Amino acid sequence: MKLTDLLKENPSEAIELIEKKKPSFKVKYQDAKTQFDVDLHDVFDSTKRPDKIIKQYRGEGRNGPIYEVTTQPVNRIGIPYQKLIVERLIGLMLGNKIKITPEFFGERKEESELFNRVKKVWKDTKLDFKNRELLRRMLSEMEVAEYWHVAENENTELDDRYKLKLKIFSPSDGDKLLPYFNELGELEIFCREYEIENDEGEQIRKMDAFTKELRYYLVEKENGWTHEKAPKANVLKKIPIVYYNQVAPEWHDVQSTCSRQETLVSNFGDTNDYFGSPMVKVRGEVKGFADKGEQGKIITVEGEGDVEYLTWDSGPESTKTEFEINDDLIFNGTQIPNISFSKIKSFTHNSNALLQLLFSDPHMKAETKWEIFGIGVQRRLNIISRIVAMLYGLESEFKQMVIVPQMEPYMPKNTKEIVDALVSATNNGKVMSRKRGVELNPMVENAEKEIERIEEEEKQELGGESFI
């Protein structure tokens, strides 16, 4: 029996089989959550980093010295490397917004109603912002899904009768995601398990299961999963779900180094507290000590003896060296640009060539990650296009066109250097037309409009024809 048929006849058995086929992860979600939230790091756990036990002398008793045993809090310094790795990769991949372009299988059309409506859906559902949320959850939670559905437009003043809506499912929201892929790697069933509270205050486990033909509504009873109500037909004939996943959180390969950094800097803080205030070592009997604030301070020692400060000569330097090495290992190991001020200020010349060299490895990382995230964005565009085509009778356009997403990794630019090069190429070098120079100018948003303005200004200044 096919699994889709089993889902209809015996949902509990079907769900059990789907759970066994769920993609596996190297890290449990709860562990990834703990690593991502700096407040939950091991350095703040007193069982893993206990406070110091201090034995203090309290005088002489009848049977010998009296000591009091107390605990002294240790330094607990968390470093949000995991969040920094995720956010910098998001900025690298989505700092420039994803562009969507139509590709036609036949004669190219100057205007496509389907493409324009898809662009409107993209804007109305705020996908430029949702992309960041989806990527953040995939990088930190290892899996996330987006669900597309159609609702009646509540604003009757608008021409569009229908409105496409997006709902995000993820473990951090209490969702259990159960995708099932067939032997060809195609998404055949997708289940979302979640919990709600009924009118009596009881927690009820529910599940929505999507196939190409139907949407099932399941509820957990004492004897397992059962149908809560009759399934609903899927008129889209396509599972309206985009599922993103990766086998481990983005920082997994350098997690041990991140933990070491927190231990290192916390231990250094403890040592600094101990040695930060001067300690005096005296040989001989002290007869006099200067008062606080007294000029020409003198310590008087009787007989042979001397006074010196206790200092730690090599410790701070070795700690600093290890911290810097680990810092480089973390950023190099994740292929994330280390663009902190302390690193950037060492550059004597911020040319575009140097910036491209600095970002070459991160750009390769962004392209690799796009292999995963980009597939999901492409599936999303296919789903939106299919829904829009069905709603507005644009099936013929849907068959002749596909909308493709393009990701351009973020790259800081030395704008002055670019503009100077364009001026040289168009005026002195004569290797580029001035019109092309305007199109490549990063300070110009609308090249055609800017060319019109330049032409108009030259006509007014010269009283003749433009040279562009």
Side-chain angles (χ1 to χ4, degrees):
M1 181 184 292
K2 290 180 61 177
L3 193 57
T4 50
D5 296 331
L6 185 62
L7 187 63
K8 185 186 302 182
E9 300 295 332
N10 190 339
S12 283
E13 186 178 346
I15 297 304
E16 185 178 349
L17 293 174
I18 291 172
E19 287 183 332
K20 291 180 179 179
K21 293 291 186 179
K22 178 181 171 66
S24 59
F25 302 103
K26 292 182 178 180
V27 180
K28 294 180 180 179
Y29 163 68
Q30 196 59 43
D31 293 337
K33 178 183 177 181
T34 300
Q35 294 166 6
F36 187 66
D37 188 345
V38 67
D39 293 332
L40 301 178
H41 286 186
D42 290 348
V43 72
F44 295 106
D45 189 342
S46 59
T47 62
K48 297 179 179 179
R49 181 176 172 80
D51 291 331
K52 285 184 178 180
I53 298 176
I54 304 297
K55 194 175 181 181
Q56 295 179 324
Y57 177 72
R58 290 292 181 244
E60 294 292 336
R62 177 178 299 176
N63 299 321
I66 299 174
Y67 295 96
E68 180 182 351
V69 178
T70 61
T71 58
Q72 180 180 359
V74 295
N75 280 288
R76 305 179 187 276
I77 302 173
I79 306 176
Y81 274 118
Q82 296 83 353
K83 190 169 293 184
L84 186 64
I85 290 168
V86 168
E87 295 301 328
R88 283 193 182 170
L89 184 53
I90 292 173
L92 190 66
M93 294 179 62
L94 302 178
N96 297 318
K97 297 176 181 178
I98 294 175
K99 297 179 181 179
I100 56 175
T101 55
E103 292 185 1
F104 296 89
F105 299 112
E107 183 180 352
R108 181 178 178 85
K109 298 181 180 180
E110 294 298 327
E111 278 295 324
S112 168
E113 182 182 355
L114 177 60
F115 179 61
N116 290 335
R117 287 192 177 275
V118 170
K119 285 198 301 183
K120 188 175 185 302
V121 170
W122 189 286
K123 182 179 179 181
D124 291 345
T125 52
K126 303 175 179 62
L127 285 178
D128 286 328
F129 304 100
K130 294 296 183 181
N131 284 333
R132 302 179 73 91
E133 180 181 354
L134 287 162
L135 183 56
R136 181 178 295 109
R137 296 194 184 206
M138 185 189 82
L139 297 176
S140 60
E141 301 177 33
M142 298 174 287
E143 62 176 344
V144 64
E146 57 181 80
Y147 164 53
W148 287 91
H149 62 284
V150 180
E152 292 282 345
N153 199 337
E154 298 176 357
N155 192 343
T156 56
E157 297 179 358
L158 298 177
D159 295 334
D160 295 335
R161 178 182 175 185
Y162 303 102
K163 185 176 183 179
L164 269 68
K165 291 189 175 182
L166 166 66
K167 173 69 175 175
I168 295 177
F169 303 147
S170 77
S172 60
D173 290 332
D175 299 316
K176 184 178 180 181
L177 310 182
L178 296 171
Y180 175 77
F181 298 91
N182 60 22
E183 61 276 5
L184 299 177
E186 299 171 339
L187 184 62
E188 192 169 298
I189 302 173
F190 183 87
C191 302
R192 173 218 176 194
E193 182 182 338
Y194 56 99
E195 193 173 87
I196 65 169
E197 185 177 303
N198 63 12
D199 296 337
E200 288 75 29
E202 299 173 333
Q203 297 298 321
I204 307 297
R205 299 298 299 177
K206 290 192 174 185
M207 181 178 293
D208 297 333
F210 301 86
T211 69
K212 293 181 180 180
E213 303 295 332
L214 297 167
R215 174 179 177 175
Y216 297 92
Y217 302 88
L218 308 176
V219 62
E220 189 179 40
K221 300 291 185 179
E222 292 181 358
N223 57 345
W225 292 101
T226 184
H227 294 283
E228 183 180 26
K229 58 183 178 180
K232 183 179 180 181
N234 181 6
V235 295
L236 187 63
K237 301 301 179 183
K238 187 180 182 71
I239 298 178
I241 297 288
V242 182
Y243 176 70
Y244 307 83
N245 75 304
Q246 59 182 42
V247 296
E250 198 59 33
W251 60 85
H252 175 65
D253 291 341
V254 295
Q255 173 58 33
S256 60
T257 312
C258 295
S259 298
R260 172 60 182 168
Q261 290 290 78
E262 291 180 328
T263 301
L264 196 66
V265 73
S266 296
N267 288 343
F268 183 72
D270 291 335
T271 305
N272 203 37
D273 288 342
Y274 189 77
F275 286 102
S277 300
M279 296 183 66
V280 180
K281 182 178 73 174
V282 180
R283 283 197 297 268
E285 184 179 356
V286 178
K287 287 296 185 180
F289 198 86
D291 292 334
K292 181 179 179 181
E294 182 181 338
Q295 293 184 354
K297 297 178 180 179
I298 297 176
I299 299 175
T300 304
V301 180
E302 186 177 272
E304 294 184 1
D306 61 4
V307 179
E308 61 181 307
Y309 283 108
L310 287 176
T311 59
W312 187 25
D313 297 327
S314 61
E317 190 62 34
S318 63
T319 301
K320 178 183 177 183
T321 301
E322 182 182 353
F323 188 89
E324 290 177 349
I325 291 174
N326 289 344
D327 202 55
D328 289 337
L329 289 174
I330 289 171
F331 287 103
N332 291 338
T334 54
Q335 294 178 275
I336 298 297
N338 191 352
I339 50 177
S340 62
F341 179 74
S342 60
K343 292 288 184 180
I344 297 298
K345 71 178 182 180
S346 62
F347 295 163
T348 57
H349 182 56
N350 61 334
S351 67
N352 286 315
L354 178 60
L355 292 173
Q356 288 177 359
L357 182 62
L358 177 65
F359 276 76
S360 59
D361 195 39
H363 276 200
M364 287 188 281
K365 170 66 173 287
E367 294 289 349
T368 301
K369 191 58 60 175
W370 182 247
E371 293 177 12
I372 302 174
F373 192 69
I375 291 176
V377 177
Q378 181 65 74
R379 177 176 171 82
R380 171 205 298 167
L381 287 170
N382 295 343
I383 291 174
I384 296 175
S385 300
R386 182 77 168 268
I387 295 175
V388 169
M390 293 179 63
L391 291 176
Y392 298 99
L394 301 172
E395 287 84 355
S396 60
E397 278 201 55
F398 177 75
K399 294 178 181 179
Q400 298 175 10
M401 181 189 71
V402 62
I403 302 175
V404 179
Q406 295 177 329
M407 185 273 299
E408 180 184 357
Y410 170 77
M411 169 67 77
K413 296 182 176 69
N414 185 333
T415 305
K416 183 178 183 301
E417 183 178 325
I418 295 175
V419 173
D420 289 345
L422 291 174
V423 171
S424 176
T426 54
N427 292 335
N428 304 326
K430 298 299 182 183
V431 296
M432 182 187 298
S433 68
R434 292 177 64 189
K435 183 174 293 186
R436 181 57 178 162
V438 173
E439 292 173 348
L440 295 176
N441 190 342
M443 301 178 69
V444 174
E445 294 183 359
N446 189 327
E448 294 182 1
K449 189 68 176 178
E450 196 66 28
I451 290 171
E452 291 178 3
R453 290 172 180 168
I454 294 175
E455 290 177 343
E456 185 63 30
E457 288 179 0
E458 289 191 347
K459 287 180 182 179
Q460 293 177 359
E461 292 175 0
L462 301 176
E465 297 183 355
S466 170
F467 289 98
I468 294 185

